[in-house]
Amino acid sequence: MEIELVLSALKVIGYGLGTLGPGLGIGLACYGCCVGSARQPEVQGRLFTNFIIGAALAEALALIGFVTCFIV
């Protein structure tokens, strides 16, 4: 019984550590989009489109980690 509790706690800790990557990725992408928009406002639409695609991919990695946490 105690081993199952420890494994469950480790899964939660592992998922918490797994969210660092996507969180940093989305943060850096947002930073790059803001800096690029400030430097060249005429390409803001293209930058925002690329930011949304990158954020969606990074968020997909977080969701895969979340599902893996429950499967394993």
Side-chain angles (χ1 to χ4, degrees):
M1 186 69 175
E2 290 181 15
I3 293 176
E4 293 176 9
L5 182 64
V6 170
L7 288 177
S8 296
L10 288 176
K11 287 180 188 180
V12 171
I13 291 171
Y15 174 65
L17 292 174
T19 58
L20 288 175
L24 288 173
I26 292 173
L28 289 174
C30 184
Y31 169 75
C33 184
C34 289
V35 168
S37 295
R39 290 183 181 197
Q40 292 183 332
E42 64 271 6
V43 294
Q44 181 179 6
R46 287 184 56 194
L47 287 174
F48 186 71
T49 302
N50 290 339
F51 165 71
I52 292 296
I53 292 171
L57 292 174
E59 194 64 31
L61 290 175
L63 291 174
I64 289 170
F66 182 68
V67 170
T68 305
C69 172
F70 289 114
I71 290 175
V72 175

